[in-house]
Amino acid sequence: MYVSGDILPEQLAALMQTALFTEGASAFGDELLERILRAGMQAADSTAACLFLADKTPVRTHIAAYFYDNAFSRCDMQSELPAAAAWVVQQQQPLRIHAPDTETAFMSTGLPGKQAAVSFIAVPLCCKGVCIGVLEAVGKNGGGTFSEADISLLGLVGSFAAPVYRASQAYSTYMDSCKYLQGGLLHFSDQAAFVAASAVMREKLEICKHLASSVVPVLLIGEDGVGKTSVAEQLHIHSSRAAHPFIRVNCAELTDDVLDCNLFGQPDSARTEDIGGAVKKAEGGTLFFDEVTALPLTFQNRLLHELPQREAVGKSVRLIASTRFDIEQAVRNGTFLSELYGQLNVLPLYIPPLRQRKEDILPLAQLFLRQSAVILGKPFTGFTQDAQNMLQNAEWKGNVQELKNTVEFGCIQGAPPLVGKQDLFSRSDNPFCTDTIRDMKTATEKFKRMYILAALKKSGGNQTAAAAALNIQRTYLSRLMKELKIRT
């Protein structure tokens, strides 16, 4: 904290009695900002005050709050900080301007509608060595000039306000998380659980948390089955949009007609209005384009026009996209619009394959085991040591999705309480046999398909009876049939 001028005991005592110091730690949002501004005005005996907060995010967002003419106001700005405030942030030093008209670089205080030359002082708001903002006192009462003591008192306000503001932000994030845990799960799929045992995936999870206040588009890049959808869900869960829908559109699985309906909805001829598609349903939330490079050019063009129009009327969505292909090559080939790529590629995030993060294998396997055990009604508790060794050392060319299929296969084959090595892989599909199939995902899906078809044939096509024979839930059978493209 900057202390130069002499602070009178009565000045300090009066400042300690302001709402910022007595109750500031329990205030949040605009209430806290107003208390900081009022304390700053009292400290410097000024007619007005400005507060600029510049938290570090991928998009430079500046929050500005003002108190003048006995009124508080706040706005979120996308513009640069005023020159004086920017200097204070960069230098982390206080600034005093006696005659702004003679120092053109620092003429503007940033106070809206009060751009006439007026004396002001500014101090940095620092927390753990990081400058998060600037507090300005503008216009000395009675028309005098600010003293060194005024700067010292304002610096005292700033040094107290910075950690209090940061603590309020952390608490708000915590409360948002609690709200999500209490009710927000309804907005997400049953696969929202996220395993991050490896250092690289813990890093990805931290990135998701750091992006909580950002609405920048994210492009997830990685091989098929690495868990890009799970990362997209985490980006949504930890964002300020968590209370709104997370809508996933798999661009690679749908025909053009179905994709058109899913994205943009269908007109209701009776009411001449749209039955909302994903773009409408995701308003206020997140729209996730899985395998976005498969999106036809006609739909790419339509999105480029429709999304800005919706945003202009307050119906914005946060965009997340994923791809396993070289999207830049698709742009060069003319199969993907450069304009859409430019919008999506603000923050590319690479998700490494499972073979490069082996620490995640067994925790993921245990998660999939718990899920499958519930669905199948089998009380599995874990894997034998041989099974764990096999899981840990397999190549997993199909990544997380292949691991999930293998564990489900083991649950179908095995008997509780432990899934054994012999349950995970049949002899002909053992991943360590060099003269047999190495793609476990294909082998597992092939077995599931044959197994389900046999049960359906035996039940005469009755899915309820087939599910009972397989000892699985009817809804799970329907999902498996959809995934394996089985039609009756």
Side-chain angles (χ1 to χ4, degrees):
M1 182 186 72
Y2 178 87
V3 177
S4 177
D6 294 329
I7 300 176
L8 297 177
E10 55 266 32
Q11 289 179 305
L12 187 59
L15 186 60
M16 293 298 106
Q17 292 303 310
T18 61
L20 173 64
F21 289 89
T22 59
E23 301 174 347
S26 62
F28 302 95
D30 289 351
E31 182 184 1
L32 175 58
L33 299 184
E34 183 174 345
R35 289 182 180 182
I36 294 172
L37 290 167
R38 285 182 177 274
M41 289 174 63
Q42 178 167 327
D45 191 26
S46 66
T47 61
C50 310
L51 178 62
F52 301 99
L53 296 168
D55 286 342
K56 291 184 177 179
T57 60
V59 175
R60 292 180 61 187
T61 302
H62 301 295
I63 299 174
Y66 312 95
F67 201 96
Y68 64 99
D69 294 341
N70 203 34
F72 169 85
S73 63
R74 167 194 169 148
C75 65
D76 296 336
M77 301 162 39
Q78 295 293 334
S79 58
E80 295 292 329
L81 285 169
W87 185 91
V88 173
V89 169
Q90 293 167 0
Q91 303 298 322
Q92 296 192 22
Q93 293 292 327
L95 178 68
R96 177 170 55 167
I97 302 298
H98 289 302
D101 54 331
T102 64
E103 301 183 47
T104 56
F106 298 145
M107 268 190 74
S108 174
T109 65
L111 197 63
K114 302 282 184 179
Q115 296 304 318
V118 61
S119 297
F120 64 95
I121 54 178
V123 297
L125 275 66
C126 296
C127 187
K128 296 183 178 180
V130 177
C131 185
I132 65 170
V134 177
L135 177 62
E136 291 182 359
V138 182
K140 183 73 173 178
N141 269 320
T145 58
F146 292 104
S147 66
E148 287 292 323
D150 293 330
I151 297 178
S152 297
L153 282 164
L154 190 65
L156 179 62
V157 173
S159 65
F160 182 80
V164 169
Y165 172 75
R166 272 294 171 87
S168 75
Q169 293 298 94
Y171 184 75
S172 296
T173 300
Y174 166 76
M175 291 303 295
D176 288 342
S177 299
C178 289
K179 289 178 183 177
Y180 159 69
L181 290 173
Q182 291 170 3
L185 285 170
L186 295 176
H187 295 296
F188 314 115
S189 73
D190 58 1
Q191 304 301 318
F194 188 76
V195 170
S198 63
V200 65
M201 292 310 290
R202 286 199 302 270
E203 178 186 357
K204 304 302 178 188
L205 183 58
E206 286 304 308
I207 290 174
C208 294
K209 294 177 181 178
H210 287 319
L211 292 173
S213 61
S214 172
V215 294
V216 295
V218 179
L219 179 62
L220 303 174
I221 304 167
E223 296 178 6
D224 189 24
V226 293
K228 298 187 288 293
T229 298
S230 294
V231 175
E233 287 174 336
Q234 292 301 311
L235 284 165
H236 176 78
I237 288 169
H238 292 288
S239 77
S240 58
R241 295 172 174 250
H244 298 281
F246 173 86
I247 304 297
R248 173 180 176 261
V249 178
N250 192 328
C251 306
E253 287 187 349
L254 305 172
T255 65
D256 286 4
D257 289 342
V258 174
L259 188 58
D260 188 7
C261 177
N262 282 1
L263 277 176
F264 305 108
Q266 288 181 325
D268 186 327
S269 57
R271 295 177 300 183
T272 64
E273 62 182 357
D274 283 345
I275 298 174
V279 173
K280 183 176 181 180
K281 292 175 181 177
E283 286 175 6
T286 302
L287 182 56
F288 174 46
F289 291 106
D290 198 1
E291 294 302 337
V292 71
T293 49
L295 196 63
L297 285 170
T298 53
F299 296 141
Q300 294 178 38
N301 268 308
R302 188 169 173 185
L303 285 171
L304 282 173
H305 289 87
E306 183 152 337
L307 289 175
Q309 291 176 359
R310 288 180 171 273
E311 186 169 358
V313 293
K315 298 179 179 180
S316 66
V317 298
R318 200 264 183 91
L319 295 180
I320 302 177
S322 74
T323 182
R324 54 179 162 159
F325 298 109
D326 186 344
I327 192 169
E328 292 184 356
Q329 183 63 48
V331 172
R332 289 191 293 269
N333 294 341
T335 58
F336 201 85
L337 295 177
S338 59
E339 296 91 338
L340 185 56
Y341 173 59
Q343 288 190 20
L344 296 175
N345 196 40
V346 176
L347 184 64
L349 196 61
Y350 173 70
I351 312 301
L354 190 56
R355 59 184 174 274
Q356 294 179 8
R357 46 186 175 102
K358 286 184 173 292
E359 301 93 332
D360 293 328
I361 292 175
L362 291 181
L364 278 168
Q366 194 65 41
L367 170 65
F368 298 144
L369 180 68
R370 290 197 300 270
Q371 293 173 343
S372 297
V374 171
I375 292 171
L376 296 172
K378 293 185 174 183
F380 283 107
T381 60
F383 302 89
T384 65
Q385 189 60 53
D386 285 346
Q388 292 182 48
N389 293 340
M390 179 174 281
L391 291 169
Q392 191 69 44
N393 295 317
E395 292 186 17
W396 303 122
K397 292 183 177 181
N399 293 297
V400 177
Q401 185 59 53
E402 182 184 355
L403 174 61
K404 183 174 184 291
N405 291 340
T406 300
V407 172
E408 288 181 350
F409 176 81
C411 286
I412 293 173
Q413 287 285 93
L418 299 177
V419 174
K421 171 182 175 180
Q422 70 283 355
D423 303 321
L424 292 170
F425 306 101
S426 65
R427 177 177 297 182
S428 61
D429 293 328
N430 191 316
F432 303 106
C433 297
T434 57
D435 57 345
T436 56
I437 298 173
R438 298 297 294 269
D439 185 350
M440 191 60 214
K441 179 182 178 182
T442 301
T444 304
E445 290 181 350
K446 182 179 180 180
F447 172 83
K448 285 183 179 179
R449 185 178 176 84
M450 293 175 60
Y451 203 69
I452 291 171
L453 285 171
L456 287 169
K457 183 178 179 180
K458 186 175 181 179
S459 67
N462 187 312
Q463 294 184 23
T464 301
L470 293 169
N471 196 24
I472 61 176
Q473 294 180 9
R474 169 68 175 78
T475 53
Y476 181 51
L477 175 60
S478 295
R479 182 162 69 85
L480 285 174
M481 291 175 63
K482 184 176 179 181
E483 290 176 357
L484 300 170
K485 296 180 174 59
I486 297 174
R487 294 181 177 85
T488 56

